[in-house]
Amino acid sequence: MTSDAAPVVRTLTEDDFPDWLRALHTGFLRPPTPSAEEVAIRLPHQDFTRTRGAFDPGTGRCVATFRSFAQEVTAVGGAAVPASAVSAVTVSPTHRRRGLLGRMMRAELEESRERGDVLSTLIAAEYPIYGRFGFGPASWLTQWRVDLRRAGLDPRWSGPGDGGRIDLVDGATVRKLGPELYDRVRAVRHGMVSRTARDWQRRTGEDVPPSDRWTEPFHATYRSASGELEGYVTYAADETWDDGKQPMNTATVRDLVALTPAAERALWRYVCAIDWVTLLDSGHRAPDDLLPLLLPDPRAARVVTHADMLWVRVLDVVPALQARTYGAEGSLVLDVRDAAGLAGGRFLLDASPDGASCAPTTARADLVLDVADLGVLYLGDESVTRLAALGRVEEATAGAAVRADALFRASRRAWCPDIF
């Protein structure tokens, strides 16, 4: 029997973890009972000071889950901004609409601000939920399905023509070489987030929980003519034949990271030239990825997914705006509204391509906006003018939206390749 008393929201102890994991599976519609093996694999990686649950007082069962972990987000210009990444958010169907997510989220955001985190981040399973907590979609993803029979590529391609080389490697090699290369790439590509050692283990098949349903992929690296590692790709392929005994396989890219345009072009060309592969699934790419325009016939690449990806919640406006660079020199006074009382206020931003200063001010506002829309704008992926046209940004000074666009917009789209 369920008690009428409100569930208790608290951090976990180790003894709570199997029941918390059951509630997590329930929320994500997976088979609810975790195996002893899964509990044992996941347990060492849990930080119980940052893992919350809601417990029904009548049954003692966990009915909602929530966790966070330390993360860095690359801002425009390459600075690594400290963030608290929110994940594993569920509420069991028996306890919906009782404010449990709000209670867990408020506790998390307040603690994150006290820890000194500048941002909070998440990947939203459902779009309408997180705006009310001050999050906004700061990057988007596009996924293409490429019909390689129409793409116009030379089927005789056998390797890079720039003196570089591509080699197949195993997961252990990716675990060894991948983290350093990935960190070099994220230092120059805004929107990317840091990866933990655990992330690399799971990507390469080491210590993977049974519920992840992992299958071994292929890995290939690109080295320049000088022998420098400049990129890698991880991909999997199915095994499909048509009625005429012709191969109709689909290759799916799970991860493709490149430090240079030459490496990126070579790796895309490689996966497009694998024998028996007729369709290519690009995986989660930035909307302005090179892939479609690398094809002689870009129409062979059909968009199958275009959706929001990384959501950002600004926790501290001054260090957040000072961490990034801007497209021009200029000043703006931003009046930021935050119903949670964490990041609101009026701020003077003095911006330039080399950096910025930001400080509280009492000067007249140029723009008035909610903290969620500041998150939308933070990675340079959205137009202030468009948000003003939607009524989401108030232009208190004539022409301020156009000036803000010149400052905030970036030359490339923000890209976050990781779901967490």
Side-chain angles (χ1 to χ4, degrees), residues 187-204:
V188 296
R189 188 64 192 264
H190 59 283
M192 295 182 74
V193 298
S194 54
R195 290 179 179 175
T196 65
R198 174 67 169 152
D199 292 329
W200 289 101
Q201 290 173 339
R202 294 176 70 171
R203 287 174 178 276
T204 56

Side-chain angles (χ1 to χ4, degrees), residues 144-228:
W144 286 273
R145 175 65 61 89
V146 182
D147 185 344
L148 297 173
R149 298 162 297 185
R150 288 187 47 208
L153 297 169
D154 183 355
R156 297 168 298 175
W157 188 89
S158 59
D162 58 3
R165 60 176 292 153
I166 292 176
D167 295 294
L168 284 165
V169 298
D170 59 15
T173 301
V174 174
R175 284 194 298 275
K176 178 181 178 181
L177 301 179
E180 181 181 0
L181 176 65
Y182 179 85
D183 285 344
R184 291 172 65 195
V185 174
R186 75 177 175 96
V188 296
R189 188 64 192 264
H190 59 283
M192 295 182 74
V193 298
S194 54
R195 290 179 179 175
T196 65
R198 174 67 169 152
D199 292 329
W200 289 101
Q201 290 173 339
R202 294 176 70 171
R203 287 174 178 276
T204 56
E206 186 177 77
D207 203 23
V208 178
S211 62
D212 282 7
R213 297 185 291 273
W214 185 87
T215 56
E216 183 181 9
F218 302 94
H219 309 279
T221 60
Y222 170 87
R223 292 185 181 272
S224 67
S226 65
E228 182 79 10

Side-chain angles (χ1 to χ4, degrees), residues 232-251:
Y232 68 86
V233 61
T234 296
Y235 63 96
D238 63 9
E239 187 175 359
T240 304
W241 295 74
D242 69 10
D243 293 339
K245 203 180 178 184
Q246 295 295 318
M248 301 286 290
N249 297 324
T250 298

